[in-house]
Amino acid sequence: MKNKVLSLLIILITAGSCALSGCKKESSEQAQSDPVQVEQADEAVDMNIETPDEPDDNTVADPEEDIYEDEDHDGDTLIPLEQDELDMFTEFIQRVDAYGFLLSEYGSPQDVSLGEVFYMGAGLNEEAANEEVSAYLSATGQEEVYTTCMKLDRQKVYDLLKKRLDCDPGDLKLDGVGVYIPEYDAFFYEESDVNYVKYECINGLDNGYGYELEFKALGECPPGFSQVRTLVTGKNGEYRFLWNESEEYGGVQEDFDNEAGITHEDVEAAFDLLYEEKLSYYEPKEIRFGDELEMTVVLDTSEEPFEEGGEAMYCETLAEYNDWDDDGIQFLHHKVYYKKKGEVFATKTLGWYWVDIKTGTVK
């Protein structure tokens, strides 16, 4: 199945290469004739963030330069990457300012999860000073910091996004980075558990417009992201991300229909089996359905601290559909803590369960 999907994806990429290249050329010509002004007025109003100035140093590539354009061939052929090229992409993706772009699915750069990209600071963070922590607590309404408050300079964040994404950073929802405090022109967040994943590039093609790469995690990683397929453009060790898809989830480029024919009814039936065998000590409060196969059961609600001795906060205990394969349907059992209504503070994983709807086995 994977080979069929990969073949179809290669055909689609080949067919779209010329059209995509044409779009970039037209944008470049327009940029040369008209001064470029980043327009993110709406974002600035919503978040109190002014558009950052252009960087003064040479660490970020100028979009007018051709550092991200590969002119080696015109896209009429697909060229498999040699081992030394795969090694080069392995070295690139293991950088702290790069790996985070593999930890979410997105069909366009604007949809990347900035929370994953900057979860560990992407090499830009520094511990907040006492007065900055006070400003953070005031902005969030918290009484204390539960871990360590970290600071991300706005200009450095903007520069990295400009360097790593094939889109205008002004089109991104920067509130995913952290809490922005204008007084310090920086984002602040509380450092949590480590999410660094060491990836290896195991396969790749040069399709003329960019590089279609397959990465495999070498150790522990978030569920669903042990193997991903990514499209980047660039050269000389500097690359921008265009899209990223999980091979375990089936990929954002494909229709969600699946060969096994899994339906919402199957997910509900699987949860019933799980509940009877493992979770019957709860009295479920609510069931939430989303797009595709999304289903979340609110098993319990409470007021409790995230850590012993901490401030009590609203908490939901959930059983949530997470994945499926030929062996069954997977659920995540976890707790979600909220700073305030709708704003997640942290989560605690309580367990993972696989339910085989054919045999009724729960494990």
Side-chain angles (χ1 to χ4, degrees):
M1 175 63 182
K2 182 186 292 186
N3 291 334
K4 291 181 180 178
V5 172
L6 181 58
S7 299
L8 177 57
L9 187 59
I10 290 173
I11 292 171
L12 291 174
I13 291 174
T14 305
S17 297
C18 294
L20 289 170
S21 299
C23 290
K24 291 185 72 69
K25 180 179 181 181
E26 180 180 343
S27 299
S28 178
E29 291 173 353
Q30 182 178 354
Q32 292 173 1
S33 59
D34 298 320
V36 176
Q37 295 182 352
V38 178
E39 296 180 4
Q40 60 173 36
D42 292 341
E43 286 290 339
V45 171
D46 292 342
M47 298 177 54
N48 253 342
I49 303 177
E50 299 176 359
T51 302
D53 298 329
E54 293 295 326
D56 294 327
D57 57 36
N58 295 321
T59 59
V60 179
D62 188 327
E64 298 298 331
E65 296 178 2
D66 66 354
I67 185 171
Y68 295 102
E69 300 298 330
D70 189 345
E71 300 175 353
D72 292 341
H73 64 90
D74 59 10
D76 290 337
T77 58
L78 297 172
I79 303 176
L81 299 185
E82 301 291 341
Q83 186 59 50
D84 61 337
E85 295 173 299
L86 299 179
D87 293 342
M88 177 188 66
F89 282 111
T90 293
E91 182 178 352
F92 166 73
I93 208 61
Q94 289 180 3
R95 292 169 51 171
V96 72
D97 66 345
Y99 82 94
F101 292 93
L102 299 189
L103 298 182
S104 63
E105 283 198 314
Y106 47 97
S108 62
Q110 293 88 341
D111 296 326
V112 64
S113 170
L114 296 183
E116 295 292 351
V117 172
F118 292 101
Y119 195 90
M120 287 180 59
L124 307 178
N125 58 343
E126 56 184 282
E127 188 169 348
N130 291 337
E131 62 272 17
E132 294 171 330
V133 173
S134 297
Y136 169 78
L137 293 175
S138 177
T140 59
Q142 293 179 211
E143 294 185 2
E144 61 179 303
V145 171
Y146 297 96
T147 54
T148 303
C149 186
M150 305 300 291
K151 173 183 178 181
L152 285 167
D153 180 79
R154 179 197 60 171
Q155 185 68 58
K156 292 179 180 178
V157 167
Y158 186 89
D159 292 351
L160 178 61
L161 294 175
K162 188 174 180 181
K163 184 178 183 180
R164 288 281 171 260
L165 291 176
D166 192 40
C167 70
D168 187 336
D171 294 334
L172 301 169
K173 294 180 180 179
L174 297 178
D175 53 355
V177 178
V179 177
Y180 179 72
I181 301 179
E183 178 184 357
Y184 298 102
D185 195 22
F187 297 92
F188 294 86
Y189 68 98
E190 291 185 53
E191 195 172 57
S192 189
D193 54 329
V194 174
N195 80 335
Y196 177 78
V197 181
K198 191 173 184 179
Y199 281 100
E200 177 185 13
C201 187
I202 60 174
N203 202 0
L205 289 172
D206 179 349
N207 65 25
Y209 174 68
Y211 301 93
E212 183 186 341
L213 307 170
E214 192 173 358
F215 292 102
K216 182 177 182 179
L218 298 179
E220 220 175 291
C221 67
F225 291 90
S226 63
Q227 196 156 320
V228 297
R229 188 180 294 115
T230 311
L231 182 65
V232 301
T233 182
K235 61 182 180 180
N236 299 330
E238 294 296 345
Y239 301 95
R240 286 178 174 150
F241 294 84
L242 282 75
W243 53 254
N244 183 63
E245 63 181 28
S246 163
E247 291 199 318
E248 294 176 60
Y249 285 152
V252 296
Q253 302 298 311
E254 304 172 33
D255 190 281
F256 196 77
D257 290 342
N258 51 73
E259 289 184 343
I262 301 296
T263 65
H264 257 137
E265 288 73 22
D266 293 324
V267 176
E268 290 184 71
F271 172 75
D272 289 342
L273 293 170
L274 170 61
Y275 179 76
E276 289 299 324
E277 185 162 334
K278 301 288 186 180
L279 304 174
S280 59
Y281 51 90
Y282 290 109
E283 295 184 5
K285 310 292 184 182
E286 180 185 357
I287 299 179
R288 302 166 184 163
F289 294 99
D291 296 335
E292 299 166 351
L293 298 180
E294 293 173 10
M295 172 181 165
T296 300
V297 179
V298 182
L299 298 170
D300 193 19
T301 59
S302 60
E303 293 282 336
E304 61 181 78
F306 176 67
E307 295 180 321
E308 185 176 352
E311 178 186 2
M313 59 183 71
Y314 180 68
C315 171
E316 291 182 327
T317 303
L318 308 174
E320 196 166 29
Y321 163 80
N322 182 258
D323 197 6
W324 69 269
D325 67 12
D326 294 337
D327 294 326
I329 294 174
Q330 184 183 52
F331 289 89
L332 167 63
H333 182 205
H334 64 152
K335 287 187 174 185
V336 180
Y337 295 82
Y338 297 87
K339 295 180 183 178
K340 54 186 179 181
K341 186 175 181 180
E343 185 176 348
V344 175
F345 168 72
T347 64
K348 284 183 180 178
T349 299
L350 303 177
W352 297 92
Y353 298 102
W354 276 100
V355 181
D356 188 329
I357 56 177
K358 296 177 182 177
T359 65
T361 304
V362 178
K363 58 182 180 180

